[in-house]
Amino acid sequence: MSRIKVNLTLEAEVVAKARDLGLNMSRLAEAAIVDACKAEQNRRWREENRAAIEAYGEEVASGPVSPSETVPTRAPKQGPNRG
């Protein structure tokens, strides 16, 4: 991934503390922005899919599913005989 220069405005005390501690402000800012992007994407996904999520929650809350409503599953494959 290529890198580009950007300008950020930060409080002077924050910059002084970060410099005193030898922290890489660019990497810290980048990590925080990545986290914020993920959180916002998740929030938007939940909002876009809210109706389906609520419908599923209501279905689950309605009680157990009768065996006639379940999808048949295959029996697990038997492992090799070791005898």
Side-chain angles (χ1 to χ4, degrees):
M1 206 183 292
S2 63
R3 303 186 78 71
I4 63 169
K5 284 189 171 195
V6 297
N7 291 320
L8 295 174
T9 303
L10 304 171
E11 291 187 22
E13 290 178 23
V14 172
V15 173
K17 282 184 182 180
R19 284 182 177 156
D20 287 345
L21 295 169
L23 299 176
N24 184 327
M25 289 180 275
S26 293
R27 298 294 177 169
L28 290 169
E30 183 176 34
I33 292 168
V34 167
D35 288 346
C37 287
K38 287 178 185 177
E40 180 61 15
Q41 285 175 320
N42 289 335
R43 186 197 67 75
R44 289 182 183 191
W45 184 90
R46 285 190 311 273
E47 182 62 30
E48 291 168 5
N49 293 283
R50 182 171 34 98
I53 293 167
E54 288 174 359
Y56 177 74
E58 290 169 7
E59 184 178 329
V60 170
S62 68
V65 177
S66 69
S68 64
E69 296 176 292
T70 62
V71 177
T73 59
R74 291 189 203 167
K77 291 183 179 180
Q78 297 295 321
N81 285 339
R82 299 179 191 224

